[in-house]
Amino acid sequence: MNTPLRTRLAISAGKLAAAASRLAGRGEGMIIGGTVALKISPHALEDLAQGRVAALVSATNGKTSTTRLLATAMSQGGPIASPTTGANMTEGAVWALATGAPGAQAVLEVDEAYLPRIVKETRPKVVLLANLSRDQLDRMSEVAMLARKWRKMIAENPEVLIIANADDPIVVFAAEKAKKIVWVGAGQAWTADSSVCPECGTLLSRDEKTWSCSGCGRTRPTPSWNFEWKATKGKTSATAVSPSGEKFDLSHLSLPGRFNASNATMALAACSELGYNLPKAVELMSTVSAVSGRYAIVQSGALKVRLLLAKNPAGWSELLDIMPPAPTPVIVMINSNHADGRDPSWLWDVPFERLAGRTVIASGNRRRDLAVRLLHAGVDCVVVEDPFAPDAELPESVRKLDVIDCAATYTAFQKIRVGALEGEVDA
């Protein structure tokens, strides 16, 4: 790859800045490294891409896990350049390409709002579009507006193959005019943000397998790939079904929950289009047990916790399903810092009623807002400023647990993860 001198110098400067950031204890240096590189060479991303980008992954929820699953599956063909954390804006893309193996194919996670720019500059072979729902409206704008930006992006890049979730009407609206598209019936558990047609505003009709609009006639596309999920008497089964009818058992994934099996189905469809061995892809994806701290078990203070991340009603709705059943207590931490989104009113849309029958430790800088929401949900809670402090007043039921689930918004999650990296063990 013939990278221009200016970009090579920019990357060298970025690496120095990243190293200084790490030495100063200010994180892993990916963002500052990418920022410095782009300041010196504004075209660094385009220069580094040059046919290397196999896939971009974007969604409101699950893009980090889907990216890790896809990159791991594709590693059967050699080294893959991919972010090791959720750095998903332009700076993160630059850094993943700059620090990956020279010439390696890349799988990049991309923030929904940044996707049009990054598609234009990297010219990927494949773009995965999994879901769109409400998230940080102060930054991301309204969901339908974002879908229209995606729709324009796809029209301007007709050579890119789109792999899209047929069960999300907002994603379908964004992707339906693509020249090359593979539809995946990946499921959509959260439908509150796609209750009306994005084209005409008519209330959508739904049943277990499909959706349609009586106003403009838009219907769920017929998928080539299908995801099947069954949960009966505490047992679950997850299967991805290919266009030819071949079935791939996803029940043995190490990552928990329906949503991660759905993510794996999207990744498997991408592997198929990119020419990888699919049974080997499933085998490799099953080795992924934690993703950028998600689902990892870490020691934080006197407690050992399984870290869970959720940022919006759709994500929380899925996350509540993988928590242990009552009466096992859990920790829930809600912050409203800039990276979380300043407005926590979305708490009232989360079905916290599912936590009934157990004690919830409410923490984070919006712990009192959470306590009010849990009160109205009929859930017992104890408000604790820092549950990991040595003098924290925790119920005995919490202290008795070998491992307790800690579900948190982004900045609370990151504080625990970064502070406990030395004590991290596999989930």
Side-chain angles (χ1 to χ4, degrees), residues 150-414:
W150 279 12
R151 188 178 173 100
K152 181 181 178 183
M153 167 197 76
I154 289 169
E156 292 174 348
N157 297 276
E159 75 286 354
V160 177
L161 172 65
I162 304 297
I163 297 178
N165 184 3
D167 289 315
D168 187 332
I170 306 293
V171 169
V172 172
F173 171 76
E176 63 188 358
K177 300 297 184 181
K179 298 296 183 183
K180 299 188 291 183
I181 190 163
V182 174
W183 293 111
V184 180
Q188 187 191 35
W190 178 263
T191 61
D193 294 324
S194 58
S195 58
V196 300
C197 176
E199 178 72 28
C200 69
T202 301
L203 184 67
L204 294 174
S205 299
R206 296 179 185 267
D207 58 33
E208 290 185 2
K209 293 185 177 181
T210 190
W211 56 265
S212 63
C213 174
S214 61
C216 64
R218 178 175 275 100
T219 60
R220 173 186 184 256
T222 301
S224 300
W225 281 82
N226 281 286
F227 168 59
E228 298 176 352
W229 170 264
K230 295 179 182 179
T232 55
K233 297 181 180 180
K235 295 183 178 181
T236 60
S237 66
T239 307
V241 185
S242 76
S244 66
E246 186 177 4
K247 294 186 176 183
F248 299 91
D249 184 8
L250 302 177
S251 301
H252 302 295
L253 291 177
S254 298
L255 296 182
R258 184 211 67 85
F259 53 98
N260 277 315
S262 171
N263 295 339
T265 301
M266 294 288 293
L268 202 58
C271 285
S272 177
E273 295 299 324
L274 293 168
Y276 288 89
N277 179 281
L278 300 187
K280 184 63 176 179
V282 173
E283 178 186 339
L284 289 169
M285 287 193 291
S286 298
T287 67
V288 179
S289 59
V291 179
S292 301
R294 295 158 177 82
Y295 321 112
I297 296 173
V298 303
Q299 189 75 38
S300 187
L303 299 177
K304 186 174 284 187
V305 301
R306 180 174 70 149
L307 272 176
L308 305 173
L309 173 68
K311 303 170 289 182
N312 49 56
W316 279 97
S317 181
E318 294 274 17
L319 204 65
L320 294 175
D321 285 342
I322 68 170
M323 290 183 174
T328 306
V330 296
I331 299 171
V332 176
M333 304 185 73
I334 304 294
N335 280 356
S336 60
N337 299 320
H338 176 71
D340 305 295
R342 298 290 190 185
D343 179 9
S345 60
W346 54 265
L347 286 170
W348 292 90
D349 293 328
V350 178
F352 283 118
E353 288 78 5
R354 296 183 198 169
L355 295 178
R358 75 197 80 191
T359 298
V360 174
I361 307 303
S363 190
N365 61 29
R366 288 300 188 127
R367 57 191 176 276
R368 293 180 178 86
D369 298 80
L370 172 61
V372 172
R373 172 67 186 100
L374 292 172
L375 173 67
H376 284 267
V379 177
D380 179 46
C381 81
V382 177
V383 178
V384 180
E385 181 177 358
D386 181 3
F388 309 110
D391 58 349
E393 296 184 6
L394 298 172
E396 189 61 26
S397 60
V398 171
R399 297 194 180 278
K400 284 182 177 179
L401 290 176
D402 292 331
V403 178
I404 184 169
D405 272 11
C406 177
T409 52
Y410 183 75
T411 59
F413 173 92
Q414 284 294 92

Side-chain angles (χ1 to χ4, degrees), residues 46-62:
E46 188 174 356
D47 292 340
L48 291 167
Q50 293 189 35
R52 291 176 59 196
V53 179
L56 302 181
V57 178
S58 195
T60 305
N61 293 297

Side-chain angles (χ1 to χ4, degrees), residues 104-132:
Q105 289 286 286
V107 178
L108 305 177
E109 169 191 352
V110 183
D111 179 274
E112 307 93 286
Y114 283 72
L115 186 61
R117 174 185 172 178
I118 293 179
V119 166
K120 181 180 179 181
E121 294 189 15
T122 63
R123 300 294 177 182
K125 297 180 179 71
V126 170
V127 173
L128 279 74
L129 306 177
N131 56 74
L132 278 175

